Amino acid sequence: MDKQQHGQSAERIAEQVLVQAGLQIYARNFRSRYGEIDLIARDPRTWVFCEVRLRRSRRWGGAAESITRFKQQRIVATAVYFLKTHSEAPCRFDVLLLEALDIDHVEWIKDAFRP
């Protein structure tokens, strides 16, 4: 399995976690000229913009450390674009971290960062 396939598998696992928690998936790999959001979900009253990170090695830091301030800014800019073309509602930015492709070992950080 190559890096892209691992990433897709991680996103599918993250999606399962969100759905099991009662969220509805609205979009996958939403792209704009500003960047990409892995998963966009809907809590009853809130848009949830999700970044999924898989790090199988801690050699260069864990999954959480890979979400830099620059990456956060790109996610926020893409979310703003999304909200302009959809209903504006409260939103939050969640991160789902995986150290392995295993649904039982997903760390879900709700409201992980703010714009």
Side-chain angles (χ1 to χ4, degrees), residues 45-85:
R45 293 179 203 90
T46 306
W47 287 111
V48 182
F49 300 101
C50 301
E51 177 68 10
V52 179
R53 286 293 203 208
L54 170 65
R55 278 283 171 100
R56 294 178 297 154
S57 168
R58 291 190 169 269
R59 187 173 184 181
W60 292 282
E65 289 83 11
S66 71
I67 305 171
T68 64
R69 180 47 110 179
F70 178 72
K71 178 64 175 174
Q72 291 174 23
Q73 291 170 344
R74 291 180 65 138
I75 293 168
V76 168
T78 303
V80 168
Y81 174 81
F82 174 87
L83 291 171
K84 286 181 182 177
T85 59

Side-chain angles (χ1 to χ4, degrees), residues 15 21-22 27 29 35 41 47 59 62 67 76 79 86 88-89 95 106 113:
E15 183 176 337
N29 304 113
W47 287 111
R59 187 173 184 181
I67 305 171
V76 168
H86 295 75
E88 290 198 29
V95 174
V106 176
F113 58 90

Side-chain angles (χ1 to χ4, degrees), residues 19-50:
V19 169
Q20 287 175 359
L23 279 74
Q24 293 182 317
I25 303 301
Y26 187 83
R28 293 165 193 82
N29 304 113
F30 180 83
R31 289 179 175 86
S32 76
R33 66 185 179 134
Y34 307 106
E36 177 184 359
I37 297 174
D38 295 327
L39 296 167
I40 300 175
R42 183 80 181 190
D43 214 344
R45 293 179 203 90
T46 306
W47 287 111
V48 182
F49 300 101
C50 301

